[in-house]
Amino acid sequence: MRLPIERPPGCPFDPPAELRGLPPMSRLEFADGHLGWLATTSAAARAVLGDPRFSARQELKHAALRSVRPGGPASPAPPGFFAATDPPEHTRYRRLLTGQFTVRRMRVLEPRIERIAAEHLDAMAKAGPPVDLVRAYALPIPSLVICELLGVPYDDHDFFQERSARIVTPGADSAGALADLTTYLGALVRRKRATPDDDLISGLTGDLTDEELTNVALILLVAGHETTANMLALGVFALLEHGQPYEDAAVEELLRWLSILHLGAPSRAALEDVEVEGELVRQGETVALSLPVINRDRAVFEEPDALRLDRAEARRHLAFGYGVHQCLGQQLARIELRIGYRALFERFPGLRLAVPATEVPLKTDASVYGVSALPVTWPVS
């Protein structure tokens, strides 16, 4: 098998049919010709992500899809790029960052997130329908939140949104976008070191070098708003298309059902021969994961293709990964999604698509799946 495999027209929420019903581990030809594996069940994914014999180091892995990372997969991760490191190096970064993503700190952010959502809903109401929910709501909320968390001036949020989107979009100038963000964040880190404030970057200046902290901030900035923004917009699209009223329990089911991390992400390289689900993965082979299929695993979820907002087992999804690399900001993402969905549907109970569902533009060429625009409308009295 070889990727990419396109989602069929008219099926914006379902995984491609070619990936359904595969064995837990299937042979996969990667973009560079490497013959590796594709994991398609929850058990296989947990076995790979939870086993230290599999590495997250990018210089050891092959890209299932064409790499959007400047320099390709052969370059070792720079200092601070913790997502592409293994223990004990990863453990050091993880311990420092976990102290910054405490439950207390996330709860302190809740009132601010509620105010941000309310302000943007006010602006939408003033502008009147129709509006593009991506630009008016889904992008600004997580962008503002991550900027506040890191201590980035919000006046620069457009700069970050545009460059973050280019980094995860094949064919875009990802190298230039990465260079712009790195230069900006490097200068910001130096300012925070000279004049610390009550933000995440300032809180880490005593533990990390400028280069390490710049790369940590880069990962958190891109991951902290690109994924959440896509989930906000695509989740609204799903709820409107299925005519389901929003409730807070919907967040976990939407995370499971939509699985916006696209095919091949995440992936791991075998450091030695490892048997997974009856298949022998040889040292040096890369295992890619299909989260859209894994989160529809019939062995874990009853009627997995159905969107059931009250699903009891929804939290068993792997949308935030598994093992030592499980998403650091998952609680923040959950808070943003819960507040974002609830505030939107409470303010506009008659919200509906302003165009036919087939005309909603999908991000089929990006590593983070979503909609590039979501025209919506609502009754105006």
Side-chain angles (χ1 to χ4, degrees):
M1 179 186 303
R2 189 172 186 177
L3 300 179
I5 295 171
E6 300 294 333
R7 291 175 185 249
C11 297
F13 310 116
D14 295 333
E18 294 91 334
L19 297 179
R20 309 297 293 273
L22 292 174
M25 297 285 288
S26 299
R27 275 300 194 181
L28 177 68
E29 183 180 351
F30 285 60
D32 61 0
H34 171 73
L35 187 60
W37 297 88
L38 180 68
T40 57
T41 66
S42 183
R46 290 171 187 270
V48 171
L49 296 177
D51 193 328
R53 294 175 294 176
F54 286 99
S55 173
R57 289 163 53 192
Q58 64 188 32
E59 73 271 24
L60 302 180
K61 300 190 297 182
H62 297 260
L65 302 174
R66 188 174 66 81
S67 176
V68 298
R69 184 171 50 245
S75 303
F81 210 86
F82 63 91
T85 61
D86 294 334
E89 183 182 10
H90 174 266
T91 306
R92 170 177 169 254
Y93 291 124
R94 183 82 181 196
R95 185 178 296 117
L96 291 171
L97 288 165
T98 299
Q100 299 294 322
F101 281 89
T102 62
V103 174
R104 183 195 63 80
R105 189 168 198 164
M106 297 304 100
R107 285 177 178 168
V108 167
L109 279 172
E110 286 196 43
R112 178 58 181 142
I113 297 171
E114 290 171 348
R115 288 195 296 273
I116 291 170
E119 289 166 2
H120 284 81
L121 291 172
D122 287 344
M124 283 173 55
K126 184 176 181 180
V131 302
D132 173 12
L133 196 76
V134 172
R135 293 292 170 186
Y137 193 70
L139 265 177
I141 292 176
S143 183
L144 259 172
V145 172
I146 198 64
C147 282
E148 290 198 10
L149 188 66
L150 295 177
V152 173
Y154 183 66
D155 288 346
D156 298 329
H157 79 284
D158 286 335
F159 169 89
F160 287 109
Q161 287 177 358
E162 190 274 334
R163 282 154 180 83
S164 296
R166 276 162 51 191
I167 286 176
V168 299
T169 302
D173 180 18
S174 54
L178 183 63
D180 288 349
L181 283 174
T182 302
T183 299
Y184 178 94
L185 289 170
L188 181 65
V189 165
R190 291 190 291 274
R191 291 201 304 272
K192 296 292 183 182
R193 194 178 296 280
T195 312
D197 204 344
D198 184 23
D199 55 63
L200 188 147
I201 291 179
S202 297
L204 293 173
T205 53
D207 300 293
L208 300 175
T209 66
D210 284 4
E211 183 181 14
E212 287 178 311
L213 192 44
T214 297
N215 286 318
V216 165
L218 177 64
I219 293 175
L220 295 177
L221 184 69
V222 175
H225 86 260
E226 185 68 23
T227 51
T228 307
N230 279 282
M231 263 304 303
L232 265 174
L234 192 63
V236 171
F237 183 19
L239 291 170
L240 294 180
E241 258 301 89
H242 287 74
Q244 300 214 28
Y246 173 72
E247 51 188 86
D248 284 349
V251 169
E252 299 301 328
E253 175 67 346
L254 288 170
L255 286 165
R256 178 198 73 85
W257 197 67
L258 296 173
S259 298
I260 62 169
L261 282 184
H262 229 187
L263 304 176
S267 63
R268 296 289 186 268
L271 297 173
E272 58 184 83
D273 291 358
V274 186
E275 184 174 313
V276 179
E277 294 292 293
E279 299 288 355
L280 183 62
V281 180
R282 297 287 186 183
Q283 179 180 355
E285 291 182 336
T286 296
V287 180
L289 281 71
S290 176
L291 290 182
V293 177
I294 289 164
N295 285 334
R296 303 281 184 99
D297 189 341
R298 295 185 179 278
V300 179
F301 306 102
E302 184 182 351
E303 296 182 346
D305 292 329
L307 178 63
R308 290 172 23 188
L309 302 187
D310 60 349
R311 183 183 296 274
E313 74 276 20
R315 270 189 174 265
R316 297 176 66 186
H317 66 73
L318 298 182
F320 293 115
Y322 181 76
V324 297
H325 282 276
Q326 193 171 33
C327 177
L328 265 170
Q330 61 181 288
Q331 296 310 325
L332 176 60
R334 285 183 167 103
I335 292 169
E336 290 179 283
L337 293 171
R338 174 171 49 80
I339 292 173
Y341 290 139
R342 183 204 300 153
L344 174 67
F345 286 104
E346 285 181 353
R347 183 66 176 271
F348 300 114
L351 193 74
R352 65 180 187 274
L353 294 177
V355 297
T358 54
E359 295 180 15
V360 174
L362 304 173
K363 291 172 143 182
T364 56
D365 61 345
S367 56
V368 180
Y369 185 62
V371 294
S372 54
L374 188 67
V376 295
T377 188
W378 59 89
V380 178
S381 56

